[in-house]
Amino acid sequence: MKVYNTLTRKKEEFVPLEDNKVKMYVCGPTVYNLIHIGNARPMICFDTVRRYLEYKGYDVNYVSNFTDVDDKIIKKANEEGVSAEEISTRYIAECKKDMAGMNIKPATTHPLATQEIPGMIDMIQTLIDRGYAYEKNGTVYYRTRKFEGYGKLSKKNIDELEAGHRDDAHQLKVSGEDEKEDPLDFVLWKPKKEGEPYWESPWSQGRPGWHIECSVMSKKYLADEIDIHAGGEDLIFPHHENEIAQSEAANGVPFSKYWMHNAFLNIDNKKMSKSMGNFFTVREISEEYDLQVLRFFMLNAHYRNPINFSRELMESAKNSLDRIITSVDNLKHLIANGRQGDMTEEEKELLDKTKEFYDKFDAAMDDDFNTADAISAVFELVKYVNSNSSSDNTTAYLTALKEKITTLTDVLGLIVDKKEEMLDSEIDELIARRQQARKDKNFALADQIRDELLSKGIILEDTREGVRWKRA
Ligand code: AMP
Ligand code: ZN
């Protein structure tokens, strides 16, 4: 399996640090509003990476944070006259609803920055003790030049960065950061301003900088050294560059083996962003489309290619996804009327031939998670299934075909088999009615009930011990 590593700018063979285990960290959203579909892109892309790794047999520890303390959250809280906590709690709940709609698996751990302050204070102290950080008037800064590898992820040269900052002297004065030893230094801890939430620390009553939270949560919930660190490409600099500087200086080991970044979701070829106002929230899209369509739309592009959002592309995604759903629906009808008994030899052979599409799917995903090509393989499978299934087939074969499709769509996180789940009690009740109908010699009704159950994916078996049922 090959993964494109931003650190080396190359596709590399994926070899996890520990056999069969993957430690993966994905930078999560800042929660002060409903998420927009740009924010949804890393969620969908890296959830799919996770699902594929799991399908390949890896045990994935997937950590994704919520940034729940930040200037924007405080601003929103002040506008509404409520606490910052109320804002972040509200939007974390809303974000989780959107994630469920997009069929994004909950992370193994979803840490919150505000719950991890002691760990952040510890790491900042370690950085001070090791000479990588210093305190000035209650603010702690990272001594950027001291970290030798600074710029290795973003490929920025430190002297060019310095030159870029030279004209910032005025700006620094305005922001009160002219006390820094070097304009390149960044904040690890800052004192509170009036009315802001704060925590006690050895340096001041205040709060952590943004970058330190990910270094700390990744260390606590995964390890000092992890396999994959991921996020949108705007995070490469400065966020991820600074995370590397913090973690590697504090822990003395490489931070992450692979760095993965998704390209932007654009609108009119400009990055969709809250500050530009050119965004659609996931919630708005959900009013028009099933969020599966949004997920499918995103996966139609490779995660490192930009996508330009448009209604036309969403419509075409909807139509394409419908083709898979229709195929699965047809299979469900055929299953309801299929022949009982064992799969025939011919059916077994036909089923074996689906391996070709699985190989294509795996080859696409093994090539840096090329979901666009993987979807093409799914369509080839769907076409094959459509032309090799009929009411003459056995239920066993048809059910196996259906599973062939849903196994792959599950890896992509696409729900194409909407189960109208019947409760066990409802099934038992229908079976009892059917038994009564048979006793009454009303075989037409008995058959009708059996068919009704079958159409909902419930298969009945009449045995000597009575009626047994299973889900298709
Ligand atoms: P934020 O809440 O701005 O920190 O963003 C959360 C995540 O969404 C980060 O990984 C960003 O890189 C990502 N992101 C934000 N806007 C876009 C966009 N238009 N396209 C793709 N990813 C984005
Ligand atoms: Zn982060």
Side-chain angles (χ1 to χ4, degrees), residues 191-356:
K192 66 169 184 195
K193 292 199 198 100
E194 198 46 43
E196 287 184 351
Y198 67 89
W199 289 264
E200 298 292 339
S201 82
W203 317 290
S204 59
Q205 292 182 329
R207 60 190 162 98
W210 172 37
H211 316 301
I212 195 75
E213 68 178 71
C214 291
S215 283
V216 167
M217 296 185 220
S218 176
K219 178 182 171 78
K220 177 166 171 187
Y221 294 100
L222 295 168
D224 286 0
E225 189 174 2
I226 66 171
D227 295 295
I228 300 175
H229 195 115
E233 65 181 11
D234 52 340
L235 299 189
I236 298 174
F237 187 85
H239 186 53
H240 287 163
E241 197 68 67
N242 291 353
E243 282 188 38
I244 291 177
Q246 294 163 161
S247 293
E248 297 192 355
N251 303 328
V253 291
F255 183 21
S256 179
K257 201 167 172 192
Y258 305 93
W259 287 83
M260 296 180 70
H261 295 96
N262 64 275
F264 290 145
L265 176 80
N266 295 327
I267 189 155
D268 298 327
N269 296 310
K270 284 191 204 76
K271 181 194 172 196
M272 183 176 286
S273 75
K274 267 179 207 151
S275 54
M276 295 274 291
N278 60 346
F279 63 88
F280 291 105
T281 61
V282 171
R283 204 55 63 82
E284 282 168 327
I285 296 299
S286 77
E287 282 157 16
E288 260 181 84
Y289 295 96
D290 186 322
L291 289 176
Q292 292 303 300
V293 177
L294 181 66
R295 184 168 183 126
F296 186 77
F297 161 83
M298 298 269 191
L299 296 180
N300 263 302
H302 187 270
Y303 74 93
R304 283 189 294 112
N305 288 339
I307 314 181
N308 211 21
F309 179 80
S310 73
R311 297 277 145 175
E312 292 75 44
L313 287 177
M314 278 297 280
E315 280 303 311
S316 121
K318 181 176 183 301
N319 293 336
S320 300
L321 182 62
D322 276 348
R323 274 165 53 205
I324 310 180
I325 295 173
T326 306
S327 174
V328 170
D329 271 352
N330 286 343
L331 280 174
K332 284 199 273 193
H333 286 292
L334 293 176
I335 289 167
N337 300 300
R339 280 195 292 118
Q340 298 301 304
D342 293 340
M343 231 185 269
T344 65
E345 286 309 312
E346 191 198 349
E347 286 178 335
K348 279 185 196 155
E349 265 173 45
L350 286 171
L351 195 62
D352 280 348
K353 286 203 184 129
T354 58
K355 185 174 178 301
E356 178 193 335

